[in-house]
Amino acid sequence: MRYSYINNLECPKCSKQYSAEEIQQLCSCGSPLLARYDLQSLKNDIHKEDLQSRENSLWRYHEVLPVLNEKNVKTLGEGMTPLLALERAGEELQLYKLYLKDEGLVPTGSFKARGAAVGVSKAMELGVKELAMPTNGNAGAAWSLYSAKAGIRAHVVMPLDAPEITRKEVSISGGKLYLVDGVISDAGKITAQLIKENGYFDASTLKEPYRIEGKKTMGYEIAEQFGWELPDVILYPTGGGVGLIGIYKAFLEMQELGWINGPFPRLVAVQAEGCAPIVKAYVEGKKESDFWDNSETKAFGINVPKALGDFLVLEAIYETKGCAIAVSEEEITNAQQFIAKSEGQFICPEGAATVAAADKLRESGWIGTEERVVCLNTGVGIKYPDTVDYKARYMEKIHH
Amino acid sequence: MRYSYINNLECPKCSKQYSAEEIQQLCSCGSPLLARYDLQSLKNDIHKEDLQSRENSLWRYHEVLPVLNEKNVKTLGEGMTPLLALERAGEELQLYKLYLKDEGLVPTGSFKARGAAVGVSKAMELGVKELAMPTNGNAGAAWSLYSAKAGIRAHVVMPLDAPEITRKEVSISGGKLYLVDGVISDAGKITAQLIKENGYFDASTLKEPYRIEGKKTMGYEIAEQFGWELPDVILYPTGGGVGLIGIYKAFLEMQELGWINGPFPRLVAVQAEGCAPIVKAYVEGKKESDFWDNSETKAFGINVPKALGDFLVLEAIYETKGCAIAVSEEEITNAQQFIAKSEGQFICPEGAATVAAADKLRESGWIGTEERVVCLNTGVGIKYPDTVDYKARYMEKIHH
């Protein structure tokens, strides 16, 4: 029994094949590469019931992850996050089967830990010593921390407006931090320059093929946590879109494994009105998105003007009969406060955007009141202190 | 089969008994009350192996928790946090079996969530509508958030120097926030005044009997995660000391249940040099501590000049042949950076204090290099941004 059933890497655009035992980046055609597994063998070797007794992390799905040797797994306990029924919030929103998957309960407080755990472990297995990447903050923090554990040197380029705490996460873990007064595409250009000059491994979103493998485990977990009966709708805050692509990939794999049946959940890409390239492409029925100029939103993780994997995001939406929807800054703030007051969860603005979107889609009738709906909260609210105010009563000391 | 095997509450000082089906605070003698369970019945009804297939939260131990009816459980997925082997750090510290239990992976990013989940659930079950408490930040944040989920109104009094993010956690969840320019004992006096004037339930540390029941689950988890073979030493950052008292209580209960054998781990209370009342009492061989004047430490959670349960903390130390030790501010900072760089974990200053203490106790020979040692990291470093600096290189945008 192999620890990983990975076969190779494949280009989803031109179908060219690549070895998974050497360092790879993009396909020669410019597309991201996707990992392919020997699912037919795995189907015979493992049954989904075998998973029950496994460790409580995303590594319970190690056969469909790319790390060949278990000793190369660098884990901080990431994965198997709570899937919570939002009873009070659901009642108010008239979504009577509303759930939130809380990705705040992972190392680094953000779902980026999933991609970093798998991406860094595989990079180490392949002999990477030094890597570079652009980030809106959380991914860079996660990659820097996991790289520290793996003994890899990380170079992280982020916009000045990224959450300040993520600078400190990079710095304290020994990563080299670069700041630029721009958006993530500006950070991307600087990263490309650093890589060209120094030969670092390019860990940019989808330019390395394994981060998505970590992210896809959200799809496996949702299926397993629902007893392999998939929900009707999954709402995902979409910047680079890797999680949404990953969840869709997980469903395709599980279908081939015979672990799930019936229609897939309708996947919804949620964006902010100030940065909605996927929504625009969806509304226009296009297969790729255009660069979104002067993008702006407090949900900083989804401030991505043009995603490399946009065509895969749109494919996942179209194939699952999903949709893409934008929400306003005010709707994000209101949803964040609403969930804190009704459910006791201080979620991040990106996660709040999915709750706001669920509300709008229920109002429009696109989501039915009895459908099973999962909102993905991609991180803790505490990483974004500036998005929240407070009121306090100042008291005098009592002397006695 | 009962959901909870609680019998009653008992005073550890004067042995007076109280009902667990009515609201209780302190014993009439002034001591905290402890929950007692029908462990003999439970021993017959449940075996520790039955736990394996249970849900992945602290509620897996529901028989030894005080909530009578499962429908009153207000959970955000707290508990069963990772117990990670620190191989690289352990090598450097010459502690070859060093572990860290990472309480950062809970709702609110702090182990205070354990006490809040159980304390708030039980308060709701007993009909509490409004509660008040003093806090160094994290406990107040957790109680406010869980209270929101339970529909309870929380009044939270905290020092101005408490981590600012915890103000926002209270406020966004609808708690009423009070700030005082002082330490937690000053917040305690204001809380007492609010309770006297308004009749709120007193949720102060150990003045309500159930927070400790949530905290004790750390002890159950450590036992279960080690396959019921207890480690040799557990280091705990000690402010109010509820976790340490709780872990000791868990060991006593598990011993009575027949779930563990042999000597208990030596429990170590770790404090900061700027606030070390338990250490002083331990060094002087006393059973209670004196108030520590002008206390100060960046590890704000352990800035507690006089703990109500000090006599229970000291008893746990003496009975397990443990000790108490203080570390300096510099040692805390160094340990925090050391763990981030060697293990990829951004732990809180309180957690870092336990690593610094382990290092000192290994150097002095009190801990042997081959002993199994558990450091408790009580929360995420990201809640304390001011304790960490960063270095960055500022880059110009590339235009092309």
Side-chain angles (χ1 to χ4, degrees):
Chain A
M1 301 271 282
R2 284 165 283 168
Y3 186 72
S4 170
Y5 280 65
I6 191 166
N7 268 343
N8 61 347
L9 295 167
E10 186 179 63
C11 175
K13 271 199 173 156
C14 75
S15 301
K16 194 168 169 186
Q17 311 284 310
Y18 293 84
S19 164
E21 292 178 30
E22 291 162 30
I23 293 174
Q24 307 289 359
Q25 309 260 207
L26 293 175
C27 179
S28 56
C29 82
S31 165
L33 297 173
L34 297 178
R36 300 299 183 201
Y37 298 82
D38 182 2
L39 299 177
Q40 285 313 308
S41 296
L42 180 56
K43 189 175 180 172
N44 294 327
D45 294 349
I46 297 280
H47 299 96
K48 60 181 190 249
E49 293 76 15
D50 301 333
L51 298 170
Q52 277 173 20
S53 57
R54 289 196 177 178
E55 66 182 308
N56 197 57
S57 79
L58 62 82
W59 298 100
R60 68 198 280 114
Y61 308 112
H62 59 79
E63 288 94 344
V64 289
L65 292 173
V67 179
L68 300 175
N69 190 330
E70 188 171 5
K71 78 174 168 44
N72 294 322
V73 168
K74 296 294 162 188
T75 182
L76 300 175
E78 55 288 332
M80 282 309 271
T81 54
L83 179 71
L84 298 163
L86 303 189
E87 289 176 14
R88 297 178 77 203
E91 191 73 28
E92 194 152 333
L93 298 177
Q94 293 174 265
L95 287 165
Y96 302 111
K97 293 171 186 163
L98 181 62
Y99 296 83
L100 187 129
K101 186 153 173 72
D102 189 4
E103 293 288 306
L105 270 67
V106 287
T108 80
S110 146
F111 79 137
K112 301 289 183 179
R114 290 184 189 266
V118 175
V120 167
S121 296
K122 186 65 184 176
M124 198 201 71
E125 181 163 88
L126 292 170
V128 168
K129 302 288 181 211
E130 208 154 357
L131 58 81
M133 65 190 301
T135 178
N136 272 338
N138 282 323
W143 279 74
S144 185
L145 283 154
Y146 280 90
S147 290
K149 188 166 177 77
I152 292 174
R153 174 92 162 142
H155 298 261
V156 176
V157 191
M158 67 171 75
L160 278 178
D161 289 342
E164 196 186 351
I165 188 66
T166 61
R167 298 181 188 181
K168 298 182 175 183
E169 293 176 89
V170 172
S171 206
I172 197 172
S173 55
K176 187 145 172 61
L177 175 66
Y178 307 78
L179 295 170
V180 57
D181 188 7
V183 296
I184 192 166
S185 44
D186 298 301
K189 287 179 191 171
I190 290 168
T191 304
Q193 188 72 26
L194 288 170
I195 287 166
K196 198 174 156 192
E197 287 168 4
N198 303 287
Y200 305 143
F201 177 64
D202 190 347
S204 308
T205 303
L206 291 174
K207 288 189 186 170
E208 69 76 44
Y210 302 111
R211 171 196 303 218
I212 184 175
E213 297 303 296
K215 293 278 190 77
K216 83 178 177 192
T217 56
M218 290 188 287
Y220 279 91
E221 290 179 18
I222 288 171
E224 190 179 357
Q225 289 173 319
F226 274 117
W228 310 101
E229 296 283 338
L230 295 178
D232 300 297
V233 177
I234 297 174
L235 298 106
Y236 177 84
T238 306
V242 178
L244 192 141
I245 303 168
I247 290 169
Y248 181 58
K249 185 172 189 280
F251 291 152
L252 289 170
E253 290 173 0
M254 286 188 281
Q255 191 177 51
E256 199 171 333
L257 288 166
W259 291 3
I260 55 171
N261 291 302
F264 288 177
R266 309 195 306 277
L267 297 177
V268 179
V270 179
Q271 301 200 298
E273 287 179 357
C275 184
I278 300 289
V279 177
K280 182 167 176 286
Y282 168 76
V283 169
E284 294 170 356
K286 289 187 179 162
K287 291 185 172 175
E288 296 193 11
S289 66
D290 298 319
F291 190 94
W292 188 278
D293 284 316
N294 305 313
S295 61
E296 201 173 1
T297 170
K298 72 164 73 75
F300 206 74
I302 55 175
N303 188 341
V304 179
K306 164 77 179 170
L308 186 61
D310 56 355
F311 70 101
L312 294 168
V313 172
L314 287 157
E315 184 190 325
I317 292 171
Y318 294 134
E319 289 293 322
T320 62
K321 302 185 173 58
C323 71
I325 183 171
V327 295
S328 71
E329 297 299 296
E330 192 187 350
E331 287 167 338
I332 291 172
T333 298
N334 289 345
Q336 197 186 22
Q337 293 176 352
F338 168 64
I339 292 298
K341 288 193 169 63
S342 60
E343 296 292 338
Q345 294 182 284
F346 183 12
I347 62 178
C348 66
E350 295 84 352
T354 66
V355 175
D359 185 29
K360 290 174 86 158
L361 290 171
R362 201 277 310 149
E363 268 192 27
S364 76
W366 194 89
I367 298 179
T369 55
E370 295 296 333
E371 289 198 288
R372 290 200 300 172
V373 177
V374 178
C375 290
L376 257 164
N377 174 45
T378 47
V380 288
I382 54 176
K383 292 190 90 169
Y384 303 70
D386 298 339
T387 63
V388 176
D389 287 328
Y390 66 89
K391 276 187 282 192
R393 190 168 148 200
Y394 290 83
M395 310 291 284
E396 291 296 316
K397 269 197 212 183
I398 297 171
H399 296 278
H400 60 68
Chain B
M1 301 270 282
R2 285 166 283 168
Y3 186 72
S4 170
Y5 280 65
I6 190 165
N7 268 343
N8 61 348
L9 295 167
E10 186 180 63
C11 176
K13 272 200 172 156
C14 73
S15 301
K16 194 167 170 188
Q17 311 284 310
Y18 293 84
S19 163
E21 292 178 30
E22 292 163 28
I23 293 174
Q24 307 289 0
Q25 308 260 209
L26 292 176
C27 179
S28 56
C29 81
S31 165
L33 298 173
L34 297 179
R36 300 298 182 202
Y37 298 83
D38 182 0
L39 298 177
Q40 286 312 311
S41 296
L42 180 55
K43 188 175 180 173
N44 294 327
D45 294 348
I46 297 281
H47 299 95
K48 61 181 189 250
E49 293 75 17
D50 301 335
L51 298 169
Q52 278 174 21
S53 57
R54 290 196 176 176
E55 66 182 309
N56 197 58
S57 79
L58 61 82
W59 299 100
R60 68 198 280 114
Y61 309 111
H62 58 79
E63 288 94 345
V64 289
L65 292 172
V67 178
L68 300 175
N69 191 330
E70 187 172 6
K71 77 174 169 45
N72 294 323
V73 169
K74 297 294 163 189
T75 180
L76 299 174
E78 56 287 333
M80 282 309 271
T81 54
L83 180 70
L84 298 163
L86 303 190
E87 289 176 14
R88 298 178 76 201
E91 191 72 30
E92 195 152 333
L93 298 177
Q94 293 174 263
L95 287 165
Y96 302 111
K97 292 171 185 164
L98 180 63
Y99 296 83
L100 188 131
K101 187 154 172 71
D102 189 4
E103 292 289 307
L105 270 68
V106 288
T108 79
S110 146
F111 78 136
K112 301 288 184 180
R114 290 183 189 265
V118 175
V120 167
S121 296
K122 186 66 184 175
M124 199 200 72
E125 182 162 87
L126 293 170
V128 169
K129 303 287 181 213
E130 209 153 358
L131 59 81
M133 65 190 299
T135 178
N136 272 338
N138 282 323
W143 279 75
S144 185
L145 283 154
Y146 280 90
S147 290
K149 188 166 176 79
I152 292 174
R153 174 91 161 142
H155 298 260
V156 176
V157 191
M158 68 171 76
L160 278 179
D161 288 342
E164 197 187 349
I165 187 66
T166 61
R167 299 182 187 180
K168 297 181 176 185
E169 293 176 89
V170 172
S171 207
I172 197 172
S173 55
K176 187 145 172 62
L177 174 66
Y178 306 79
L179 294 171
V180 58
D181 188 6
V183 295
I184 191 164
S185 44
D186 298 301
K189 287 179 191 170
I190 290 168
T191 304
Q193 187 72 25
L194 287 171
I195 287 166
K196 197 175 159 192
E197 287 169 4
N198 303 287
Y200 305 143
F201 177 65
D202 190 346
S204 308
T205 301
L206 290 174
K207 289 190 186 169
E208 69 76 43
Y210 302 111
R211 171 195 303 217
I212 184 175
E213 298 302 296
K215 292 276 189 76
K216 83 178 178 191
T217 56
M218 290 188 287
Y220 279 91
E221 289 179 19
I222 289 171
E224 189 179 359
Q225 289 174 319
F226 275 117
W228 310 101
E229 296 284 338
L230 295 178
D232 299 297
V233 178
I234 298 175
L235 297 105
Y236 178 84
T238 306
V242 178
L244 192 142
I245 303 167
I247 289 169
Y248 179 59
K249 183 171 189 280
F251 291 151
L252 289 170
E253 290 173 0
M254 285 188 282
Q255 190 176 53
E256 198 170 334
L257 288 166
W259 292 3
I260 55 172
N261 291 302
F264 289 177
R266 307 193 310 275
L267 297 177
V268 179
V270 179
Q271 300 200 299
E273 286 179 357
C275 183
I278 299 289
V279 177
K280 182 167 177 286
Y282 168 78
V283 169
E284 294 169 355
K286 290 188 179 162
K287 290 186 173 175
E288 295 193 12
S289 66
D290 298 319
F291 189 94
W292 188 277
D293 284 314
N294 304 315
S295 61
E296 201 174 1
T297 169
K298 72 164 74 73
F300 206 74
I302 54 175
N303 189 340
V304 178
K306 165 77 179 170
L308 186 61
D310 57 356
F311 70 100
L312 295 168
V313 172
L314 287 157
E315 183 189 327
I317 292 171
Y318 294 134
E319 289 294 322
T320 62
K321 302 185 173 56
C323 70
I325 182 171
V327 295
S328 71
E329 296 300 295
E330 192 188 350
E331 286 167 338
I332 291 172
T333 298
N334 289 345
Q336 197 185 23
Q337 293 176 352
F338 168 64
I339 292 299
K341 287 193 171 59
S342 61
E343 295 292 339
Q345 294 183 285
F346 184 12
I347 63 178
C348 66
E350 295 85 351
T354 66
V355 175
D359 185 28
K360 291 174 85 159
L361 291 171
R362 201 277 309 150
E363 270 193 26
S364 75
W366 194 89
I367 298 179
T369 56
E370 295 297 332
E371 290 198 288
R372 291 199 301 170
V373 177
V374 178
C375 290
L376 257 165
N377 175 45
T378 47
V380 287
I382 54 176
K383 292 191 89 170
Y384 304 69
D386 298 340
T387 63
V388 176
D389 287 328
Y390 66 90
K391 275 186 283 191
R393 190 168 149 200
Y394 290 83
M395 309 291 284
E396 291 296 315
K397 267 196 213 183
I398 297 172
H399 297 279
H400 60 68

